[in-house]
Amino acid sequence: MSLPPGTEFSLVESAEDKLAPAAVDIDKLEVAALANRPELREEDYKSRIGAVEAKKQIAALFPSLNIYAGGRYDSNGYLYNNNWSDAGLSLSMDLFRLASIPAINRTNEARQKTDEARRMALAMAVLTQVRVSVERYKLAVVDQELAAESSRVDQRLASVSRAGSNNRLESELESLRTDSRALVSRFQLATAYAATQASYGRVLNSVGIDLLPDSVTDTDIPTLAKAIDASLLEGEKGVFLMPAAMQTASRAITVRVLDLPAGMSEAAVRAQVERIVVRNELATVQSGDALVLALAFERMASGGTARAQWRVTLSEPGGRQLLQQNYASFLPAVTTERGLGAFAEAATLSVIGDVRRAARTGAAVEKQP
């Protein structure tokens, strides 16, 4: 991170998803790679240099023509004339080198064929690298999606376990075990995300994108970051990939918790629900144009035991409902605020996949009982 030892810093968990979709038009990517890769440009220069060298070798076989003229002086006093002028023309030719013309032609032809074969082999290697990098990126995206789904399941299990532990339905050890597994799943998700970003970088490298801008106005970190972002966006456009910065952003979520039992803090339960929403790559705001995720608590009559459920709905600001689902569980007669919050977390995780899809597309999700 290029920080001096002893520097204090904090890591911020971002809910923004900047992954670009995998390329679908491989042919255009290959054309861009053949046009941009510096190795291929180097081979073009080598070919031009070889052609010039061949011309120089042929030109060296022509006769040598020398023209000279100038004044002369000799200090010998016995000469009749100490000063004179002369001019002349000389023509010379190495007859033995004429015999080497066939060998020179064969050498030039062999060099030209070698250059062509090397350039073709390099082009095939570049095309192979493009295809392999794209396939690896596709696999990395799939791995990240699986890691995200696994993380959501483990978070849900941890929330259910905490709710059971708080209500004395499960042991504290089981709650710790599920919490630990959820933490490992989040670490695996972060690792998968890093691997996906590295795979995407290999795709850009295989196409030959230079992320360094042509010029920058200053060398401070914000200016350099802005210049590199602009260069990256332009490079992504050039290789026919959908730029990551131009993807459809997810809509923000407004969380509302309704009908809580007396004595329960609405803000505390809502904060636990918002934490689950943020952990699953969504942003939470309190504004009028965001999707509304509402959780309404209600008790249910049951013989000998107390049951309760959350009525979970996702709606547009105008009131159009996108999702509706009930999440029921057993509760003791005396419900604690912590247990109720864990219960709300479990209810949120049960629908978080549908919420993420609705936030990206704005489409209604099929209602579930």
Side-chain angles (χ1 to χ4, degrees):
M1 296 175 63
S2 301
L3 294 177
T7 303
E8 294 185 1
F9 64 92
S10 60
L11 299 179
V12 179
E13 184 176 3
S14 175
E16 187 176 1
D17 187 3
K18 293 185 178 180
L19 290 179
V24 294
D25 198 336
I26 301 298
D27 293 336
K28 290 184 177 180
L29 276 181
E30 290 176 345
V31 171
L34 293 177
N36 296 332
R37 287 294 290 266
E39 299 94 331
L40 297 178
R41 301 288 71 75
E42 181 182 359
E43 289 300 323
D44 292 339
Y45 284 121
K46 287 182 178 180
S47 177
R48 293 170 57 182
I49 292 173
V52 173
E53 288 294 331
K55 293 179 181 179
K56 289 173 61 177
Q57 291 181 359
I58 296 300
L61 299 177
F62 287 97
S64 176
L65 179 63
N66 295 320
I67 300 176
Y68 61 90
R72 308 291 182 177
Y73 169 77
D74 198 317
S75 61
N76 189 354
Y78 294 98
L79 293 178
Y80 181 75
N81 290 315
N82 296 88
N83 298 285
W84 72 95
S85 299
D86 62 354
L89 177 67
S90 65
L91 181 66
S92 62
M93 183 175 185
D94 190 349
L95 298 179
F96 289 99
R97 295 198 61 180
L98 294 177
S100 64
I101 292 179
I104 293 176
N105 290 333
R106 288 194 300 269
T107 301
N108 291 331
E109 290 177 2
R111 180 168 55 236
Q112 184 178 7
K113 291 180 180 179
T114 301
D115 292 343
E116 184 66 26
R118 185 176 62 249
R119 187 163 55 251
M120 185 175 296
L122 184 58
M124 293 302 298
V126 168
L127 298 182
T128 302
Q129 187 179 17
V130 170
R131 288 183 174 269
V132 171
S133 63
V134 170
E135 293 303 321
R136 284 182 175 177
Y137 178 68
K138 290 179 181 179
L139 292 176
V141 170
V142 173
D143 290 341
Q144 181 181 342
E145 292 175 351
L146 292 176
E149 186 64 28
S150 175
S151 177
R152 285 191 289 271
V153 171
D154 287 338
Q155 290 179 55
R156 183 177 178 185
L157 290 174
S159 298
V160 173
S161 180
R162 283 197 301 272
S165 176
N166 293 329
N167 298 324
R168 296 189 177 91
L169 298 176
E170 292 187 11
S171 67
E172 186 71 20
L173 179 62
E174 178 66 18
S175 177
L176 290 175
R177 186 180 68 82
T178 54
D179 281 343
S180 300
R181 189 167 63 183
L183 184 61
V184 172
S185 295
R186 290 191 61 204
F187 173 76
Q188 293 173 344
L189 175 59
T191 303
Y193 179 78
T196 306
Q197 289 288 6
S199 299
Y200 183 62
R202 284 192 288 269
V203 173
L204 299 181
N205 180 70
S206 67
V207 180
I209 293 181
D210 186 6
L211 299 183
L212 293 178
D214 295 334
S215 61
V216 290
T217 58
D218 206 343
T219 57
D220 59 287
I221 292 180
T223 303
L224 287 175
K226 185 177 180 180
I228 291 177
D229 284 342
S231 178
L232 175 60
L233 180 60
E234 190 64 27
E236 288 177 336
K237 291 180 181 179
V239 298
F240 311 102
L241 286 170
M242 181 184 294
M246 295 179 62
Q247 295 182 77
T248 303
S250 299
R251 296 181 62 181
I253 304 295
T254 297
V255 177
R256 294 177 182 172
V257 180
L258 310 172
D259 303 332
L260 289 179
M264 297 296 171
S265 171
E266 185 271 341
V269 177
R270 175 164 50 83
Q272 291 183 255
V273 174
E274 289 178 344
R275 181 170 61 91
I276 295 299
V277 173
V278 171
R279 280 187 177 182
N280 287 272
E281 304 169 357
L282 294 171
T284 59
V285 296
Q286 297 295 326
S287 61
D289 57 347
L291 296 178
V292 179
L293 178 63
L295 287 83
F297 179 82
E298 64 179 22
R299 294 189 178 274
M300 303 170 59
S302 179
T305 59
R307 295 190 64 193
Q309 71 174 7
W310 288 102
R311 288 184 287 106
V312 184
T313 59
L314 182 69
S315 306
E316 292 277 3
R320 185 172 73 95
Q321 195 170 87
L322 304 177
L323 167 68
Q324 177 182 339
Q325 180 170 305
N326 296 335
Y327 186 84
S329 180
F330 292 95
L331 290 177
V334 179
T335 304
T336 63
E337 186 175 285
R338 182 180 177 186
L340 190 63
F343 184 22
E345 288 183 8
T348 304
L349 285 166
S350 68
V351 298
I352 196 64
D354 293 332
V355 172
R356 292 175 73 245
R357 285 190 291 271
R360 280 170 170 76
T361 63
V365 181
E366 182 180 355
K367 294 182 180 181
Q368 303 177 10

